[in-house]
Amino acid sequence: MNSFFAFIIVLGILIFVHEFGHFIVARIFGVGVEKFSLGFGPRLFGFKRNNTDYFVSAIPLGGYVKMVGEDPGDSQSLSEAEKAVSFTHKPVLQRMMIVAAGPVFNLLLAVVIFFALFFISGEFVLKPTVGKVDPTSPAGVAGLAVGDQIVAIDGEALESWQAMAERIAQSQGRELAITVLRNEQRLELRVTPERRDDVNLFGEPIERYVIGVTSSGDFFNRKLGPLAALTRSVGQSWEFVKLTVLSVVKIIRGTISHKNIGGPLMIAEMAGQQAKEGLANLVSFIALLSINLAILNFLPIPVLDGGHLMFFTIEAILGRPVNLRAREILQQVGVFILIMLMVLIFYNDISSLYFN
């Protein structure tokens, strides 16, 4: 599968799920939907059913759901029958739920994908088996050897490298009793972790406690039942949500370079790479992008879902809609911000793909 087709598949799924969220919740609350479009620009093909026009448009970089009475300025021109199914005439809480449904469905898509992967393939766990030991490190001095399996720290059993690393990191330099399995014999070694300078995922300097060992790279597969798979999928999604939010905050603050922001060209290249690695990699990539799309849409920028939620929140507090002129000005500002962001994204895409 080449990058272009992988890009269309990935983006098509993300857009459909997002717009379907708006669509289905609007229908639940009795709001009429005039158009359901995958893409922008000229209509390519589609069909009409129950007063809704479903179609695919020429530019596959988004989509939209056009609801009856969506524009507050059209209220005066609506008939009584149209007002009954008008978005603007619904209670503010229902309007908020319709707007929030798009990004919420993207989050649910990630949970569903991770659930399917965990339930079908189980969980691959990195064993706490030593692959290399720095002879001058605390582990080397204490006598840890290549091939040792670390089975407990301070009497608490371990079954994964991650759990072991977390216990060591939390030690704050306190001496640990590390139990290892060597040649089917259990040995207890006393190791005092040392503090080292390192960098985190964002390239920021941090301090962490280590003992000077690296993993052998051995894995085991742990099968998960439906409940365990659901728990892991929700947990996995939540971790990526936190990471995405933190990344956005750091980009806004300037802690992370704006060069890390990618767009359609970068997504297409990465989608092609993941497709070559296999279906599991591709659907995992879709889940990660779906989370990113949800978080970005929740940003309080006018014209995005988060901007609409901001207006509706103000309306709920004040008891009246935000002044129409003020909304128009803020939406123009939002459009300007998005245009500048798109220019930056395409610049980064072109620079990274063709000039690096």
Side-chain angles (χ1 to χ4, degrees), residues 36-84:
F36 185 114
S37 173
L38 294 180
F40 297 115
R43 185 181 193 274
L44 296 180
F45 59 89
F47 61 93
K48 195 166 185 177
R49 181 176 297 168
N50 297 328
N51 298 319
T52 302
D53 190 12
Y54 304 88
F55 57 93
V56 174
S57 298
I59 305 173
L61 297 179
Y64 63 93
V65 169
K66 176 69 170 65
M67 292 173 281
V68 174
E70 186 174 346
D71 187 350
D74 295 338
S75 297
Q76 302 301 322
S77 61
L78 296 177
S79 66
E80 290 303 316
E82 289 173 327
K83 287 180 181 179

mmCIF file of all heavy atoms in Angstrom, residues 36-84:
data_model
loop_
_atom_site.group_PDB
_atom_site.id
_atom_site.type_symbol
_atom_site.label_atom_id
_atom_site.label_comp_id
_atom_site.label_asym_id
_atom_site.label_seq_id
_atom_site.Cartn_x
_atom_site.Cartn_y
_atom_site.Cartn_z
ATOM 1 N N PHE A 36 -23.988 15.859 4.906
ATOM 2 C CA PHE A 36 -22.943 15.089 5.588
ATOM 3 C C PHE A 36 -21.838 14.897 4.554
ATOM 4 O O PHE A 36 -21.983 14.095 3.628
ATOM 5 C CB PHE A 36 -23.481 13.747 6.067
ATOM 6 C CG PHE A 36 -22.501 12.933 6.880
ATOM 7 C CD1 PHE A 36 -22.739 12.672 8.214
ATOM 8 C CD2 PHE A 36 -21.338 12.430 6.317
ATOM 9 C CE1 PHE A 36 -21.849 11.910 8.972
ATOM 10 C CE2 PHE A 36 -20.445 11.677 7.050
ATOM 11 C CZ PHE A 36 -20.701 11.417 8.388
ATOM 12 N N SER A 37 -20.745 15.629 4.702
ATOM 13 C CA SER A 37 -19.684 15.609 3.690
ATOM 14 C C SER A 37 -18.367 15.074 4.245
ATOM 15 O O SER A 37 -17.931 15.486 5.321
ATOM 16 C CB SER A 37 -19.461 17.014 3.129
ATOM 17 O OG SER A 37 -18.339 17.037 2.264
ATOM 18 N N LEU A 38 -17.767 14.179 3.498
ATOM 19 C CA LEU A 38 -16.393 13.767 3.759
ATOM 20 C C LEU A 38 -15.522 14.557 2.789
ATOM 21 O O LEU A 38 -15.542 14.307 1.586
ATOM 22 C CB LEU A 38 -16.212 12.262 3.531
ATOM 23 C CG LEU A 38 -16.972 11.336 4.491
ATOM 24 C CD1 LEU A 38 -16.682 9.887 4.142
ATOM 25 C CD2 LEU A 38 -16.590 11.623 5.925
ATOM 26 N N GLY A 39 -14.789 15.511 3.313
ATOM 27 C CA GLY A 39 -13.979 16.376 2.469
ATOM 28 C C GLY A 39 -14.621 17.735 2.276
ATOM 29 O O GLY A 39 -15.764 17.974 2.682
ATOM 30 N N PHE A 40 -13.850 18.637 1.657
ATOM 31 C CA PHE A 40 -14.321 19.983 1.352
ATOM 32 C C PHE A 40 -14.305 20.199 -0.162
ATOM 33 O O PHE A 40 -13.791 19.372 -0.909
ATOM 34 C CB PHE A 40 -13.430 21.033 2.019
ATOM 35 C CG PHE A 40 -13.429 20.975 3.519
ATOM 36 C CD1 PHE A 40 -12.279 20.639 4.219
ATOM 37 C CD2 PHE A 40 -14.578 21.274 4.235
ATOM 38 C CE1 PHE A 40 -12.275 20.589 5.603
ATOM 39 C CE2 PHE A 40 -14.587 21.238 5.625
ATOM 40 C CZ PHE A 40 -13.429 20.891 6.308
ATOM 41 N N GLY A 41 -14.857 21.329 -0.577
ATOM 42 C CA GLY A 41 -14.795 21.674 -1.995
ATOM 43 C C GLY A 41 -15.908 21.053 -2.809
ATOM 44 O O GLY A 41 -16.957 20.663 -2.272
ATOM 45 N N PRO A 42 -15.672 20.910 -4.123
ATOM 46 C CA PRO A 42 -16.717 20.404 -5.027
ATOM 47 C C PRO A 42 -17.175 18.991 -4.662
ATOM 48 O O PRO A 42 -16.378 18.142 -4.271
ATOM 49 C CB PRO A 42 -16.029 20.414 -6.404
ATOM 50 C CG PRO A 42 -14.899 21.375 -6.263
ATOM 51 C CD PRO A 42 -14.443 21.284 -4.841
ATOM 52 N N ARG A 43 -18.492 18.765 -4.826
ATOM 53 C CA ARG A 43 -19.084 17.448 -4.559
ATOM 54 C C ARG A 43 -18.673 16.485 -5.663
ATOM 55 O O ARG A 43 -18.824 16.761 -6.839
ATOM 56 C CB ARG A 43 -20.603 17.599 -4.534
ATOM 57 C CG ARG A 43 -21.397 16.359 -4.148
ATOM 58 C CD ARG A 43 -22.884 16.718 -4.219
ATOM 59 N NE ARG A 43 -23.733 15.734 -3.589
ATOM 60 C CZ ARG A 43 -24.191 14.639 -4.188
ATOM 61 N NH1 ARG A 43 -23.858 14.400 -5.455
ATOM 62 N NH2 ARG A 43 -24.982 13.801 -3.545
ATOM 63 N N LEU A 44 -18.153 15.316 -5.280
ATOM 64 C CA LEU A 44 -17.745 14.302 -6.260
ATOM 65 C C LEU A 44 -18.864 13.309 -6.529
ATOM 66 O O LEU A 44 -19.262 13.085 -7.663
ATOM 67 C CB LEU A 44 -16.490 13.574 -5.769
ATOM 68 C CG LEU A 44 -15.210 14.410 -5.625
ATOM 69 C CD1 LEU A 44 -14.068 13.543 -5.138
ATOM 70 C CD2 LEU A 44 -14.852 15.075 -6.948
ATOM 71 N N PHE A 45 -19.368 12.699 -5.464
ATOM 72 C CA PHE A 45 -20.463 11.729 -5.616
ATOM 73 C C PHE A 45 -21.143 11.544 -4.265
ATOM 74 O O PHE A 45 -20.595 11.912 -3.221
ATOM 75 C CB PHE A 45 -19.951 10.380 -6.137
ATOM 76 C CG PHE A 45 -18.917 9.744 -5.249
ATOM 77 C CD1 PHE A 45 -19.284 8.899 -4.199
ATOM 78 C CD2 PHE A 45 -17.558 9.972 -5.460
ATOM 79 C CE1 PHE A 45 -18.339 8.307 -3.378
ATOM 80 C CE2 PHE A 45 -16.594 9.382 -4.642
ATOM 81 C CZ PHE A 45 -16.994 8.549 -3.600
ATOM 82 N N GLY A 46 -22.337 10.984 -4.284
ATOM 83 C CA GLY A 46 -23.062 10.745 -3.049
ATOM 84 C C GLY A 46 -24.500 10.363 -3.315
ATOM 85 O O GLY A 46 -24.867 10.002 -4.434
ATOM 86 N N PHE A 47 -25.328 10.470 -2.290
ATOM 87 C CA PHE A 47 -26.747 10.144 -2.428
ATOM 88 C C PHE A 47 -27.537 10.942 -1.392
ATOM 89 O O PHE A 47 -26.974 11.456 -0.415
ATOM 90 C CB PHE A 47 -26.982 8.639 -2.230
ATOM 91 C CG PHE A 47 -26.585 8.137 -0.861
ATOM 92 C CD1 PHE A 47 -27.520 8.073 0.175
ATOM 93 C CD2 PHE A 47 -25.279 7.720 -0.621
ATOM 94 C CE1 PHE A 47 -27.157 7.606 1.428
ATOM 95 C CE2 PHE A 47 -24.910 7.254 0.638
ATOM 96 C CZ PHE A 47 -25.848 7.203 1.665
ATOM 97 N N LYS A 48 -28.815 11.032 -1.606
ATOM 98 C CA LYS A 48 -29.685 11.780 -0.701
ATOM 99 C C LYS A 48 -30.724 10.844 -0.116
ATOM 100 O O LYS A 48 -31.328 10.047 -0.829
ATOM 101 C CB LYS A 48 -30.363 12.926 -1.446
ATOM 102 C CG LYS A 48 -31.002 13.967 -0.536
ATOM 103 C CD LYS A 48 -31.361 15.229 -1.302
ATOM 104 C CE LYS A 48 -31.883 16.310 -0.370
ATOM 105 N NZ LYS A 48 -32.179 17.569 -1.098
ATOM 106 N N ARG A 49 -30.898 10.945 1.211
ATOM 107 C CA ARG A 49 -31.871 10.092 1.883
ATOM 108 C C ARG A 49 -32.410 10.811 3.116
ATOM 109 O O ARG A 49 -31.636 11.403 3.882
ATOM 110 C CB ARG A 49 -31.236 8.762 2.294
ATOM 111 C CG ARG A 49 -32.177 7.778 2.981
ATOM 112 C CD ARG A 49 -31.482 6.456 3.250
ATOM 113 N NE ARG A 49 -31.087 5.809 2.009
ATOM 114 C CZ ARG A 49 -30.266 4.756 1.948
ATOM 115 N NH1 ARG A 49 -29.748 4.259 3.057
ATOM 116 N NH2 ARG A 49 -29.960 4.225 0.785
ATOM 117 N N ASN A 50 -33.726 10.788 3.290
ATOM 118 C CA ASN A 50 -34.383 11.409 4.444
ATOM 119 C C ASN A 50 -33.947 12.861 4.646
ATOM 120 O O ASN A 50 -33.580 13.281 5.748
ATOM 121 C CB ASN A 50 -34.102 10.598 5.721
ATOM 122 C CG ASN A 50 -34.668 9.200 5.646
ATOM 123 O OD1 ASN A 50 -35.701 8.968 5.016
ATOM 124 N ND2 ASN A 50 -33.994 8.245 6.286
ATOM 125 N N ASN A 51 -33.963 13.623 3.545
ATOM 126 C CA ASN A 51 -33.649 15.056 3.563
ATOM 127 C C ASN A 51 -32.189 15.366 3.889
ATOM 128 O O ASN A 51 -31.852 16.517 4.172
ATOM 129 C CB ASN A 51 -34.550 15.804 4.566
ATOM 130 C CG ASN A 51 -36.020 15.708 4.200
ATOM 131 O OD1 ASN A 51 -36.378 15.804 3.023
ATOM 132 N ND2 ASN A 51 -36.864 15.498 5.199
ATOM 133 N N THR A 52 -31.327 14.350 3.880
ATOM 134 C CA THR A 52 -29.901 14.574 4.122
ATOM 135 C C THR A 52 -29.109 14.166 2.891
ATOM 136 O O THR A 52 -29.315 13.075 2.352
ATOM 137 C CB THR A 52 -29.402 13.764 5.342
ATOM 138 O OG1 THR A 52 -30.152 14.133 6.492
ATOM 139 C CG2 THR A 52 -27.927 14.037 5.605
ATOM 140 N N ASP A 53 -28.213 15.045 2.470
ATOM 141 C CA ASP A 53 -27.349 14.769 1.324
ATOM 142 C C ASP A 53 -26.013 14.231 1.843
ATOM 143 O O ASP A 53 -25.266 14.945 2.520
ATOM 144 C CB ASP A 53 -27.129 16.064 0.521
ATOM 145 C CG ASP A 53 -26.429 15.798 -0.812
ATOM 146 O OD1 ASP A 53 -26.330 14.620 -1.209
ATOM 147 O OD2 ASP A 53 -25.982 16.776 -1.448
ATOM 148 N N TYR A 54 -25.720 12.961 1.555
ATOM 149 C CA TYR A 54 -24.467 12.328 1.958
ATOM 150 C C TYR A 54 -23.539 12.313 0.742
ATOM 151 O O TYR A 54 -23.912 11.769 -0.300
ATOM 152 C CB TYR A 54 -24.699 10.888 2.422
ATOM 153 C CG TYR A 54 -25.696 10.737 3.546
ATOM 154 C CD1 TYR A 54 -27.059 10.582 3.275
ATOM 155 C CD2 TYR A 54 -25.279 10.723 4.866
ATOM 156 C CE1 TYR A 54 -27.984 10.432 4.296
ATOM 157 C CE2 TYR A 54 -26.199 10.562 5.907
ATOM 158 C CZ TYR A 54 -27.542 10.422 5.608
ATOM 159 O OH TYR A 54 -28.448 10.268 6.626
ATOM 160 N N PHE A 55 -22.340 12.864 0.869
ATOM 161 C CA PHE A 55 -21.466 12.903 -0.298
ATOM 162 C C PHE A 55 -19.995 13.011 0.081
ATOM 163 O O PHE A 55 -19.646 13.322 1.230
ATOM 164 C CB PHE A 55 -21.854 14.063 -1.231
ATOM 165 C CG PHE A 55 -21.836 15.422 -0.584
ATOM 166 C CD1 PHE A 55 -20.710 16.226 -0.647
ATOM 167 C CD2 PHE A 55 -22.964 15.900 0.077
ATOM 168 C CE1 PHE A 55 -20.699 17.487 -0.062
ATOM 169 C CE2 PHE A 55 -22.969 17.158 0.659
ATOM 170 C CZ PHE A 55 -21.834 17.953 0.585
ATOM 171 N N VAL A 56 -19.152 12.741 -0.914
ATOM 172 C CA VAL A 56 -17.697 12.870 -0.794
ATOM 173 C C VAL A 56 -17.277 14.072 -1.624
ATOM 174 O O VAL A 56 -17.698 14.229 -2.771
ATOM 175 C CB VAL A 56 -16.980 11.598 -1.285
ATOM 176 C CG1 VAL A 56 -15.471 11.798 -1.287
ATOM 177 C CG2 VAL A 56 -17.368 10.407 -0.412
ATOM 178 N N SER A 57 -16.444 14.931 -1.042
ATOM 179 C CA SER A 57 -15.967 16.130 -1.731
ATOM 180 C C SER A 57 -14.523 15.956 -2.171
ATOM 181 O O SER A 57 -13.833 15.009 -1.769
ATOM 182 C CB SER A 57 -16.119 17.354 -0.827
ATOM 183 O OG SER A 57 -17.480 17.567 -0.509
ATOM 184 N N ALA A 58 -14.068 16.901 -2.981
ATOM 185 C CA ALA A 58 -12.790 16.747 -3.690
ATOM 186 C C ALA A 58 -11.553 16.860 -2.806
ATOM 187 O O ALA A 58 -10.536 16.229 -3.086
ATOM 188 C CB ALA A 58 -12.703 17.787 -4.821
ATOM 189 N N ILE A 59 -11.608 17.667 -1.750
ATOM 190 C CA ILE A 59 -10.412 17.910 -0.924
ATOM 191 C C ILE A 59 -10.518 17.092 0.365
ATOM 192 O O ILE A 59 -11.309 17.428 1.255
ATOM 193 C CB ILE A 59 -10.270 19.404 -0.602
ATOM 194 C CG1 ILE A 59 -10.276 20.232 -1.895
ATOM 195 C CG2 ILE A 59 -8.986 19.667 0.183
ATOM 196 C CD1 ILE A 59 -10.307 21.730 -1.681
ATOM 197 N N PRO A 60 -9.729 16.019 0.500
ATOM 198 C CA PRO A 60 -9.888 15.098 1.631
ATOM 199 C C PRO A 60 -9.158 15.536 2.895
ATOM 200 O O PRO A 60 -8.471 14.748 3.540
ATOM 201 C CB PRO A 60 -9.285 13.801 1.075
ATOM 202 C CG PRO A 60 -8.178 14.285 0.190
ATOM 203 C CD PRO A 60 -8.680 15.571 -0.441
ATOM 204 N N LEU A 61 -9.296 16.795 3.277
ATOM 205 C CA LEU A 61 -8.581 17.306 4.451
ATOM 206 C C LEU A 61 -9.533 17.686 5.577
ATOM 207 O O LEU A 61 -9.206 18.502 6.429
ATOM 208 C CB LEU A 61 -7.716 18.517 4.062
ATOM 209 C CG LEU A 61 -6.595 18.246 3.050
ATOM 210 C CD1 LEU A 61 -5.838 19.521 2.744
ATOM 211 C CD2 LEU A 61 -5.649 17.166 3.578
ATOM 212 N N GLY A 62 -10.699 17.108 5.588
ATOM 213 C CA GLY A 62 -11.672 17.410 6.619
ATOM 214 C C GLY A 62 -13.048 16.956 6.206
ATOM 215 O O GLY A 62 -13.203 16.116 5.320
ATOM 216 N N GLY A 63 -14.049 17.516 6.832
ATOM 217 C CA GLY A 63 -15.425 17.189 6.508
ATOM 218 C C GLY A 63 -16.337 18.087 7.304
ATOM 219 O O GLY A 63 -15.886 18.905 8.106
ATOM 220 N N TYR A 64 -17.627 17.949 7.099
ATOM 221 C CA TYR A 64 -18.558 18.780 7.853
ATOM 222 C C TYR A 64 -19.957 18.181 7.827
ATOM 223 O O TYR A 64 -20.311 17.415 6.935
ATOM 224 C CB TYR A 64 -18.594 20.213 7.314
ATOM 225 C CG TYR A 64 -19.089 20.347 5.890
ATOM 226 C CD1 TYR A 64 -20.439 20.588 5.619
ATOM 227 C CD2 TYR A 64 -18.206 20.241 4.811
ATOM 228 C CE1 TYR A 64 -20.896 20.722 4.313
ATOM 229 C CE2 TYR A 64 -18.652 20.374 3.503
ATOM 230 C CZ TYR A 64 -19.999 20.614 3.266
ATOM 231 O OH TYR A 64 -20.446 20.734 1.969
ATOM 232 N N VAL A 65 -20.717 18.545 8.854
ATOM 233 C CA VAL A 65 -22.132 18.218 8.942
ATOM 234 C C VAL A 65 -22.881 19.541 8.992
ATOM 235 O O VAL A 65 -22.658 20.351 9.892
ATOM 236 C CB VAL A 65 -22.445 17.384 10.204
ATOM 237 C CG1 VAL A 65 -23.942 17.283 10.430
ATOM 238 C CG2 VAL A 65 -21.838 15.994 10.083
ATOM 239 N N LYS A 66 -23.732 19.782 8.004
ATOM 240 C CA LYS A 66 -24.522 21.026 7.949
ATOM 241 C C LYS A 66 -25.897 20.743 8.524
ATOM 242 O O LYS A 66 -26.661 19.933 7.994
ATOM 243 C CB LYS A 66 -24.650 21.499 6.494
ATOM 244 C CG LYS A 66 -25.546 22.731 6.305
ATOM 245 C CD LYS A 66 -24.898 23.968 6.907
ATOM 246 C CE LYS A 66 -25.675 25.232 6.500
ATOM 247 N NZ LYS A 66 -27.047 25.265 7.053
ATOM 248 N N MET A 67 -26.208 21.406 9.646
ATOM 249 C CA MET A 67 -27.465 21.182 10.335
ATOM 250 C C MET A 67 -28.447 22.313 10.060
ATOM 251 O O MET A 67 -28.042 23.449 9.772
ATOM 252 C CB MET A 67 -27.224 21.057 11.844
ATOM 253 C CG MET A 67 -26.459 19.801 12.233
ATOM 254 S SD MET A 67 -26.002 19.746 13.988
ATOM 255 C CE MET A 67 -24.568 20.838 14.010
ATOM 256 N N VAL A 68 -29.731 22.036 10.171
ATOM 257 C CA VAL A 68 -30.766 23.042 9.994
ATOM 258 C C VAL A 68 -30.616 24.105 11.080
ATOM 259 O O VAL A 68 -30.484 23.782 12.269
ATOM 260 C CB VAL A 68 -32.176 22.409 10.082
ATOM 261 C CG1 VAL A 68 -33.252 23.497 10.030
ATOM 262 C CG2 VAL A 68 -32.365 21.391 8.977
ATOM 263 N N GLY A 69 -30.617 25.396 10.680
ATOM 264 C CA GLY A 69 -30.539 26.484 11.654
ATOM 265 C C GLY A 69 -29.221 26.549 12.384
ATOM 266 O O GLY A 69 -29.155 27.051 13.509
ATOM 267 N N GLU A 70 -28.154 26.048 11.778
ATOM 268 C CA GLU A 70 -26.852 26.039 12.447
ATOM 269 C C GLU A 70 -26.310 27.450 12.631
ATOM 270 O O GLU A 70 -25.640 27.750 13.626
ATOM 271 C CB GLU A 70 -25.874 25.194 11.628
ATOM 272 C CG GLU A 70 -24.529 24.988 12.271
ATOM 273 C CD GLU A 70 -23.664 24.031 11.472
ATOM 274 O OE1 GLU A 70 -24.199 23.343 10.585
ATOM 275 O OE2 GLU A 70 -22.459 23.985 11.742
ATOM 276 N N ASP A 71 -26.572 28.333 11.681
ATOM 277 C CA ASP A 71 -26.110 29.715 11.757
ATOM 278 C C ASP A 71 -27.149 30.548 12.505
ATOM 279 O O ASP A 71 -28.292 30.666 12.047
ATOM 280 C CB ASP A 71 -25.914 30.283 10.349
ATOM 281 C CG ASP A 71 -25.275 31.667 10.358
ATOM 282 O OD1 ASP A 71 -25.165 32.258 11.454
ATOM 283 O OD2 ASP A 71 -24.895 32.143 9.279
ATOM 284 N N PRO A 72 -26.784 31.134 13.662
ATOM 285 C CA PRO A 72 -27.750 31.927 14.429
ATOM 286 C C PRO A 72 -28.363 33.066 13.616
ATOM 287 O O PRO A 72 -29.490 33.495 13.872
ATOM 288 C CB PRO A 72 -26.909 32.482 15.588
ATOM 289 C CG PRO A 72 -25.754 31.542 15.702
ATOM 290 C CD PRO A 72 -25.471 31.080 14.309
ATOM 291 N N GLY A 73 -27.638 33.565 12.608
ATOM 292 C CA GLY A 73 -28.146 34.662 11.804
ATOM 293 C C GLY A 73 -29.306 34.273 10.911
ATOM 294 O O GLY A 73 -30.005 35.144 10.368
ATOM 295 N N ASP A 74 -29.543 32.967 10.748
ATOM 296 C CA ASP A 74 -30.622 32.499 9.872
ATOM 297 C C ASP A 74 -31.942 32.294 10.612
ATOM 298 O O ASP A 74 -32.929 31.846 10.012
ATOM 299 C CB ASP A 74 -30.219 31.172 9.201
ATOM 300 C CG ASP A 74 -29.036 31.355 8.257
ATOM 301 O OD1 ASP A 74 -28.817 32.491 7.815
ATOM 302 O OD2 ASP A 74 -28.359 30.352 7.978
ATOM 303 N N SER A 75 -31.955 32.583 11.919
ATOM 304 C CA SER A 75 -33.130 32.268 12.741
ATOM 305 C C SER A 75 -34.404 32.908 12.218
ATOM 306 O O SER A 75 -35.482 32.300 12.260
ATOM 307 C CB SER A 75 -32.882 32.713 14.192
ATOM 308 O OG SER A 75 -31.797 31.993 14.743
ATOM 309 N N GLN A 76 -34.296 34.133 11.725
ATOM 310 C CA GLN A 76 -35.485 34.861 11.298
ATOM 311 C C GLN A 76 -36.117 34.264 10.044
ATOM 312 O O GLN A 76 -37.316 34.430 9.805
ATOM 313 C CB GLN A 76 -35.117 36.332 11.046
ATOM 314 C CG GLN A 76 -34.522 37.044 12.248
ATOM 315 C CD GLN A 76 -35.464 37.048 13.438
ATOM 316 O OE1 GLN A 76 -36.678 37.196 13.284
ATOM 317 N NE2 GLN A 76 -34.917 36.872 14.643
ATOM 318 N N SER A 77 -35.318 33.583 9.231
ATOM 319 C CA SER A 77 -35.822 33.067 7.957
ATOM 320 C C SER A 77 -36.379 31.653 8.060
ATOM 321 O O SER A 77 -36.872 31.103 7.073
ATOM 322 C CB SER A 77 -34.712 33.101 6.906
ATOM 323 O OG SER A 77 -33.625 32.276 7.303
ATOM 324 N N LEU A 78 -36.307 31.048 9.247
ATOM 325 C CA LEU A 78 -36.777 29.674 9.415
ATOM 326 C C LEU A 78 -38.290 29.636 9.625
ATOM 327 O O LEU A 78 -38.862 30.475 10.332
ATOM 328 C CB LEU A 78 -36.084 29.011 10.613
ATOM 329 C CG LEU A 78 -34.568 28.808 10.522
ATOM 330 C CD1 LEU A 78 -34.047 28.214 11.828
ATOM 331 C CD2 LEU A 78 -34.203 27.915 9.355
ATOM 332 N N SER A 79 -38.929 28.628 9.034
ATOM 333 C CA SER A 79 -40.352 28.409 9.275
ATOM 334 C C SER A 79 -40.525 27.740 10.639
ATOM 335 O O SER A 79 -39.557 27.287 11.254
ATOM 336 C CB SER A 79 -40.926 27.512 8.178
ATOM 337 O OG SER A 79 -40.352 26.213 8.253
ATOM 338 N N GLU A 80 -41.753 27.647 11.109
ATOM 339 C CA GLU A 80 -42.017 27.018 12.401
ATOM 340 C C GLU A 80 -41.609 25.546 12.378
ATOM 341 O O GLU A 80 -41.101 25.011 13.361
ATOM 342 C CB GLU A 80 -43.498 27.149 12.767
ATOM 343 C CG GLU A 80 -43.925 28.570 13.101
ATOM 344 C CD GLU A 80 -43.102 29.163 14.239
ATOM 345 O OE1 GLU A 80 -42.877 28.453 15.245
ATOM 346 O OE2 GLU A 80 -42.683 30.334 14.127
ATOM 347 N N ALA A 81 -41.846 24.884 11.249
ATOM 348 C CA ALA A 81 -41.458 23.473 11.119
ATOM 349 C C ALA A 81 -39.941 23.324 11.190
ATOM 350 O O ALA A 81 -39.425 22.372 11.790
ATOM 351 C CB ALA A 81 -41.986 22.901 9.807
ATOM 352 N N GLU A 82 -39.219 24.261 10.567
ATOM 353 C CA GLU A 82 -37.754 24.214 10.580
ATOM 354 C C GLU A 82 -37.202 24.538 11.967
ATOM 355 O O GLU A 82 -36.194 23.974 12.384
ATOM 356 C CB GLU A 82 -37.192 25.171 9.537
ATOM 357 C CG GLU A 82 -37.415 24.713 8.099
ATOM 358 C CD GLU A 82 -36.994 25.769 7.085
ATOM 359 O OE1 GLU A 82 -37.129 26.980 7.388
ATOM 360 O OE2 GLU A 82 -36.547 25.374 5.994
ATOM 361 N N LYS A 83 -37.875 25.438 12.674
ATOM 362 C CA LYS A 83 -37.421 25.776 14.031
ATOM 363 C C LYS A 83 -37.489 24.570 14.957
ATOM 364 O O LYS A 83 -36.694 24.436 15.884
ATOM 365 C CB LYS A 83 -38.262 26.924 14.595
ATOM 366 C CG LYS A 83 -37.953 28.273 13.966
ATOM 367 C CD LYS A 83 -38.818 29.378 14.578
ATOM 368 C CE LYS A 83 -38.511 30.729 13.932
ATOM 369 N NZ LYS A 83 -39.361 31.817 14.501
ATOM 370 N N ALA A 84 -38.453 23.687 14.702
ATOM 371 C CA ALA A 84 -38.600 22.491 15.542
ATOM 372 C C ALA A 84 -37.397 21.559 15.427
ATOM 373 O O ALA A 84 -37.098 20.800 16.359
ATOM 374 C CB ALA A 84 -39.880 21.749 15.164
#
